[in-house]
Amino acid sequence: MSLLPFIFANPMMLAALVALPAIWWLLRMTPPKPVTEIFPPLRILAGVLKREETPSKSPWWLTLLRMLMAAAIIFAIADPVFNPRSNTLSADGPLALVIDNSWATAADWERRVETAEALIGDAEDRNLPVAIVFTADSEHNAVPGSATAARNRLAAASPQPLRPERTAAVNALKTALDGTAPGTLAFLTDGIETGDGKVMAELAALAPANFRLIEGRGDQAVAITNSANDADSMVITASRLDTATAQSLPITAYDTRGRTIASGSVAFAAGEGVTTGTLAAPFELRNDFARIAIDGTATAGGTFLLDDGFRRRRVALLSGEARDQSQPLLSPLYYINRALAPYADLVQPNEADLAVAIPELLAQKPSMLIMADIGRLPDETYAPVTKWIENGGTLIRFAGPRLAAAPADDPLVPVTLRQGERALGGALSWSEPQPLADYPALSPFAGMPRPQDILVKRQVLAEPTADLSSRTWASLADGTPLVTTKAQGAGRIILFHVSAEATWSNLPISGDFVEMLRRSVQLSRSGGVASEGTTPGQTLAPYRLLNADGVLTSETGRARPLEVSSGKAPVSSADNPPGLYGSEEGFSALNLLPRDTQLEPIDATGLPMAYTSEALIGAEAWSLKPSLFAVALILLLVDSAVVLFMGGAFARLRVPATTAVVIALAAGALVAAPGHSLADDGKPGDENILARLDKTHLAYVITGEAEVDRLSERGLAGLTEFLTYRTTLEPGPPVGLDIASDELSFYSLIYWPISANAPMPSPQAVSRIDAYMRAGGTVLFDTRDQFSSLGTNSGSTSPNSERLQAILGDLDIPPLEPVPTDNVLTKSFYLLSNFPGRYNGSPLWIEAQPDNGSQPTGRPARAGDGVSPIMITGNDFAGAWAIDANGAPLLPTVPPDEQQREYAYRSGVNIMMYMLTGNYKADQVHIPALLERLGQ
């Protein structure tokens, strides 16, 4: 910096100051002020005589104003400069310039070029060679040359979207000087530490006679270092170099076409170098973010690129169990929700009918569909699910009783399954619960430590095949698969061979379950049909690269393909500049800085020699010429206004009186529309719905056969009358249902009499029944033929049983068993050992509850409050219950026995109480309180 704080660039112009006295004499005179006279004729005649007019002297203050204006012009032409620079280069050796042309220099690159040109000009004046090297260039040529050659190299240089490689540049300079100590070594730096902390010491080791550190403004060095797509917003992490003052910076998210999607800000407190900000936008818009940039900071560090890995996946959830809010820990989806909520957008259907729910979920373009214990899907849903998978969707299925009982030819499982489940450690099993084996090297779970405390008690087994090991991502210690997979088109099917809740294993309550699902979600493609993910070991060609101003361009230059390796994040370099690698169909984003990088100033402590710290040219030297010219112009305008005023120009103006303008505002009164009652908005059929909501109603399926429907109606009427007189339950009249159109959710139990002569229900109607059962309702199928081949190997069936099997073939039903002696059905109201109707030869079938030996009562708890979604009998309940208008039975029992009819009614009472109270009577929690109250 110059020792003179103030100089004149053109001092010879100050000689014009001697002309100020002459200017004073010329400017002191003004024309006479005009006189205004009244217009009487005598005064006109008196004024005919010619008067001698002499100029009057100008006021002293006006003359002083004009003198100051002239002086300002003279000083402006002389060009006064504050803090002018001077040639202070050392003549003891060549000039060495080490220039950072990294990403942080893009904002003030022109001033850096001006500073370097000034230093090169000083070296040219003293006939010194110049060695110049740029730290962000891929090749470093530091051989000293002429000032002209250095100036040409400086003109050809430009900032690069890279971090500086200062050690390589210093080594090149050291080799080029070959032991010659530089006279002046100027380091034009961006001010950011690169991590090694050695550059200043390495430069000082060159032993320059004059060591100068030249830095720009640090407030321009701001970078986005991380981004996370959270549940509600995109969280942005930013770092800055200058932490002296508080600073707030706007940030904007753009899509692939450069259109603005969302805006936010990051705010730094005083002394804070790292902060976070948010970009609030809906899930769908956040998944369209292609890059995030800091407004007003056109650098590669201020731009953060996003690829498919940053997109938040949408995961659709389906369960085969009834949703039970009172027992969430038994719900198959409870643990999946808890595991994936931080990483994905979870959606569930509004309808329990899978024929409606699955198309509704697929329409939302999920990346992944998770099915928990769903054995059979409606036939019309297989085609859209398969197409969705082939387009890139990921299907994850969890086992359970329904999947174990499903047909072996299910196309939506990755391996062929054995029907039934394998019990480990039960009362009838010789094997013990199995731990997990080490994860295979090709599995996405590779790298996770093998858990020591996870045990599997039940699983579905896969049929051994030649490719089973290649499809296995995780297995048990005995070698049986735990997680299997199959690629299908562009998508994938994954099967967990255990249930999604903790009855089959304790995997769902472990941290490994969360990590398994998270890695599986990351493998999925955003939206099911988005860009491909990268595979470890894959090589990606440059697609779009980021320039120093933070703009994506198609110019790839000498960039090399990017190698993606497992467990190692790629780092930007001269061979792999920041940008997008891959193709339009799929790419991976490589950003300038590693994640969570913190910008730090260069460490210049502990150097063996002194150095001077300077600013760039333009910040230290500034001229007063523009300001002096501006002052002269202002004085000229003031002088012109004074002369016009003294000449009477403003006195001739007549200001008209201000006319008041009144603007009338028209206010229209809001006319209210004629009122109407809420009843006018009701839909047709609402009266029937409201009538059926007043009390409990027994419901039956209208088969289309008049006699069968009449007996069903009279049978449920008889049971309704019996319930009214024997219990506190007072049901309303029975309701006949058209299962294809009527709302089914109003009824806890639907009686379905099977008739081979009735029309076969449509697939849509059967799908609605399946949804009704899945949502917690129960259907009582009655073949009315005292015959049932369920569980037998006789091979003979009745026509009604064949019709029942045809209907059940389209339903996703769990495994069945006859009512056990300790089931709640046997004691929900009456104590019963069997469930007769008009006949007494068929058992009552309900959902099987496998004994896993883990419950103190011998039977595990279930979701849905323990109520079976299906019951099957052939005893013709409605025939035993049916009465006429006088209350007399319509049909005799077989054999004729009124005691059997009484037990048929009691069976109906137990079934209704079971439906309304669930497993209440099997709840062992109340036994101690009951015994204490009874005094036993």
Side-chain angles (χ1 to χ4, degrees):
M1 185 177 293
S2 175
L3 299 177
L4 295 175
F6 176 83
I7 64 171
F8 286 97
N10 301 306
M12 297 300 297
M13 293 302 302
L14 297 177
L17 293 175
V18 300
L20 286 179
I23 296 175
W24 175 278
W25 181 78
L26 292 174
L27 296 179
R28 62 188 296 271
M29 296 183 294
T30 59
K33 181 179 180 180
V35 179
T36 303
E37 300 287 353
I38 304 175
F39 187 69
L42 294 178
R43 295 295 299 271
I44 294 177
L45 295 176
V48 171
L49 298 177
K50 184 179 180 180
R51 299 178 181 177
E52 181 181 357
E53 296 181 352
T54 59
S56 62
K57 298 179 180 179
S58 64
W60 66 271
W61 52 268
L62 181 58
T63 303
L64 178 61
L65 181 68
R66 294 171 175 175
M67 294 294 294
L68 291 176
M69 180 174 58
I73 294 175
I74 293 173
F75 279 104
I77 297 175
D79 193 10
V81 178
F82 282 90
N83 293 328
R85 59 177 305 278
S86 58
N87 192 339
T88 58
L89 296 183
S90 173
D92 296 337
L95 169 65
L97 291 177
V98 180
I99 302 176
D100 279 341
N101 59 331
S102 61
W103 66 271
T105 63
D108 55 359
W109 178 250
E110 296 301 327
R111 288 182 53 201
R112 294 175 183 273
V113 171
E114 292 176 4
T115 303
E117 284 181 341
L119 292 173
I120 294 174
D122 292 344
E124 187 176 27
D125 292 341
R126 297 195 174 186
N127 199 22
L128 297 176
V130 180
I132 184 170
V133 62
F134 299 94
T135 59
D137 285 357
S138 56
E139 298 179 358
H140 302 293
N141 180 13
V143 177
S146 64
T148 301
R151 194 175 286 112
N152 292 336
R153 290 189 57 196
L154 178 64
S158 61
Q160 301 296 319
L162 300 169
R163 291 171 294 169
E165 296 290 341
R166 293 174 179 142
T167 299
V170 173
N171 290 337
L173 178 62
K174 182 179 180 180
T175 301
L177 292 177
D178 194 19
T180 302
T184 298
L185 193 157
F187 181 24
L188 277 72
T189 177
D190 59 14
I192 303 175
E193 181 61 62
T194 56
D196 51 17
K198 300 178 180 179
V199 61
M200 292 296 289
E202 292 172 347
L203 291 174
L206 298 178
N210 183 13
F211 188 9
R212 302 164 70 172
L213 180 67
I214 305 176
E215 297 182 79
R217 292 172 53 190
D219 58 351
Q220 297 290 329
V222 184
I224 299 177
T225 59
N226 204 353
S227 174
N229 199 350
D230 286 353
D232 300 323
S233 62
M234 182 79 76
V235 179
I236 309 301
T237 303
S239 179
R240 63 172 180 169
L241 181 63
D242 186 4
T243 62
T245 60
Q247 188 178 17
S248 179
L249 298 172
I251 53 177
T252 302
Y254 302 91
D255 63 5
T256 54
R257 297 183 179 181
R259 297 173 297 190
T260 299
I261 298 181
S263 299
S265 64
V266 289
F268 294 91
E272 187 178 44
V274 178
T275 189
T276 58
T278 58
L279 287 170
F283 165 81
E284 293 81 2
L285 289 181
R286 282 185 277 122
N287 274 1
D288 287 339
F289 290 179
R291 61 184 175 94
I292 301 170
I294 301 176
D295 296 346
T297 306
T299 64
T303 300
F304 195 84
L305 302 176
L306 304 174
D307 56 17
D308 189 55
F310 286 90
R311 293 184 173 92
R312 189 174 179 87
R313 270 62 168 177
R314 170 167 286 164
V315 178
L317 305 179
L318 281 175
S319 172
E321 283 282 1
R323 288 173 287 184
D324 191 348
Q325 301 298 328
S326 63
Q327 295 176 313
L329 296 181
L330 302 180
S331 170
L333 298 181
Y334 176 79
Y335 301 99
I336 299 176
N337 269 289
R338 296 293 298 271
L340 290 181
Y343 310 108
D345 181 53
L346 305 180
V347 293
Q348 297 189 44
N350 297 320
E351 294 285 341
D353 186 351
L354 293 182
V356 178
I358 291 178
E360 172 190 326
L361 292 176
L362 296 183
Q364 301 184 52
K365 297 182 179 180
S367 301
M368 179 177 289
L369 175 62
I370 297 181
M371 295 183 182
D373 190 21
I374 293 181
R376 187 193 302 269
L377 297 177
D379 292 337
E380 63 269 24
T381 62
Y382 280 96
V385 172
T386 302
K387 181 179 179 181
W388 171 79
I389 295 173
E390 292 176 348
N391 286 341
T394 300
L395 172 65
I396 293 185
R397 302 188 68 173
F398 284 87
R402 286 176 174 80
L403 184 61
D409 58 349
D410 191 339
L412 296 181
V413 292
V415 293
T416 304
L417 298 178
R418 293 182 179 179
Q419 199 163 19
E421 68 226 34
R422 174 197 185 196
L424 302 172
L428 301 178
S429 174
W430 292 98
S431 57
E432 296 294 330
Q434 290 290 309
L436 270 64
D438 292 327
Y439 299 111
L442 297 179
S443 168
F445 310 144
M448 295 173 53
R450 181 172 65 89
Q452 303 295 327
D453 54 350
I454 294 179
L455 295 176
V456 175
K457 295 174 287 186
R458 285 184 180 275
Q459 67 176 145
V460 291
L461 289 175
E463 291 286 354
T465 58
D467 60 346
L468 181 60
S469 60
S470 63
R471 294 187 179 187
T472 301
W473 281 358
S475 60
L476 303 184
D478 61 2
T480 56
L482 176 67
V483 182
T484 54
T485 184
K486 178 182 73 172
Q488 185 164 328
R492 182 174 296 276
I493 301 175
I494 303 170
L495 172 64
F496 282 74
H497 291 241
V498 293
S499 63
E501 30 76 36
T503 57
W504 284 29
S505 73
N506 59 349
L507 175 64
I509 59 176
S510 68
D512 287 72
F513 186 71
V514 178
E515 184 63 17
M516 283 180 173
L517 287 182
R518 188 189 69 82
R519 294 193 180 196
S520 300
V521 169
Q522 287 301 112
L523 286 177
S524 66
R525 291 160 53 165
S526 178
V529 291
S531 59
E532 292 279 2
T534 57
T535 304
Q538 186 177 3
T539 301
L540 303 176
Y543 172 53
R544 296 284 190 273
L545 296 183
L546 206 64
N547 64 15
D549 295 329
V551 178
L552 280 173
T553 66
S554 57
E555 297 292 333
T556 58
R558 294 182 293 178
R560 297 183 179 180
L562 179 67
E563 296 183 1
V564 181
S565 58
S566 177
K568 183 179 179 182
V571 180
S572 62
S573 63
D575 292 334
N576 298 123
L580 304 177
Y581 289 79
S583 64
E584 186 177 0
E585 288 75 19
F587 51 78
S588 178
L590 177 62
N591 285 292
L592 172 69
L593 301 175
R595 290 192 177 185
D596 299 324
T597 298
Q598 185 170 352
L599 303 185
E600 299 285 351
I602 286 181
D603 184 12
T605 59
L607 296 181
M609 63 177 301
Y611 70 94
T612 58
S613 181
E614 307 175 16
L616 299 176
I617 286 180
E620 55 176 335
W622 55 281
S623 173
L624 277 179
K625 178 189 290 186
S627 300
L628 290 174
F629 274 124
V631 170
L633 178 60
I634 293 173
L635 294 176
L636 177 61
L637 294 177
V638 173
D639 179 83
S640 301
V642 170
V643 170
L644 291 175
F645 180 79
M646 295 178 65
F650 298 110
R652 299 186 182 95
L653 296 179
R654 295 293 183 267
V655 181
T658 304
T659 304
V661 179
V662 179
I663 303 176
L665 300 177
L670 295 177
V671 179
H676 60 279
S677 64
L678 291 177
D680 296 335
D681 294 333
K683 298 179 180 179
D686 284 357
E687 298 80 3
N688 295 333
I689 293 177
L690 293 175
R692 294 176 184 179
L693 290 177
D694 60 344
K695 57 177 61 179
T696 302
H697 293 263
L698 307 185
Y700 64 93
V701 174
I702 298 176
T703 62
E705 279 193 87
E707 182 61 20
V708 174
D709 295 340
R710 185 182 72 87
L711 289 176
S712 297
E713 189 275 332
R714 297 316 304 163
L716 295 187
L719 181 59
T720 297
E721 183 176 329
F722 191 88
L723 286 166
T724 301
Y725 285 101
R726 296 290 185 93
T727 71
T728 58
L729 177 63
E730 298 181 2
V735 176
L737 296 177
D738 181 358
I739 59 174
S741 59
D742 289 341
E743 179 57 50
L744 308 180
S745 59
F746 300 147
Y747 314 99
S748 58
L749 177 70
I750 297 177
Y751 178 75
W752 191 336
I754 303 300
S755 175
N757 298 324
M760 182 69 183
S762 66
Q764 293 76 17
V766 175
S767 181
R768 296 184 80 241
I769 284 291
D770 183 67
Y772 164 78
M773 296 166 59
R774 196 181 305 279
T778 297
V779 180
L780 173 55
F781 294 95
D782 193 343
T783 59
R784 305 175 298 111
D785 54 6
Q786 197 182 3
F787 185 87
S788 177
S789 62
L790 294 176
T792 67
N793 296 321
S794 63
S796 60
T797 58
S798 67
N800 287 358
S801 296
E802 290 178 354
R803 173 58 59 87
L804 174 62
Q805 291 178 4
I807 295 174
L808 296 183
D810 293 330
L811 291 175
D812 184 18
I813 61 173
L816 303 177
E817 65 178 353
V819 176
T821 57
D822 61 343
N823 192 274
V824 181
L825 264 171
T826 63
K827 53 192 173 183
S828 60
F829 195 84
Y830 295 102
L831 296 178
L832 300 176
S833 58
N834 63 344
F835 299 87
R838 187 167 172 245
Y839 308 106
N840 194 15
S842 172
L844 179 62
W845 295 82
I846 63 172
E847 179 181 1
Q849 300 183 24
D851 181 10
N852 60 8
S854 61
Q855 301 294 328
T857 63
R859 288 190 174 274
R862 291 194 323 106
D865 207 21
V867 176
S868 173
I870 184 173
M871 297 181 187
I872 301 177
T873 186
N875 287 335
D876 192 8
F877 282 159
W881 300 335
I883 59 175
D884 59 15
N886 297 321
L890 288 178
L891 299 176
T893 61
V894 180
D897 184 3
E898 288 304 312
Q899 190 67 22
Q900 180 176 326
R901 191 183 305 276
E902 173 68 20
Y903 277 103
Y905 277 119
R906 294 185 179 186
S907 298
V909 172
N910 273 27
I911 290 174
M912 283 304 301
M913 294 303 168
Y914 169 71
M915 290 305 307
L916 298 176
T917 63
N919 58 7
Y920 168 75
K921 296 223 170 179
D923 193 349
Q924 301 299 310
V925 176
H926 302 286
I927 290 180
L930 294 174
L931 293 178
E932 181 181 357
R933 179 164 296 184
L934 292 174
Q936 299 179 5

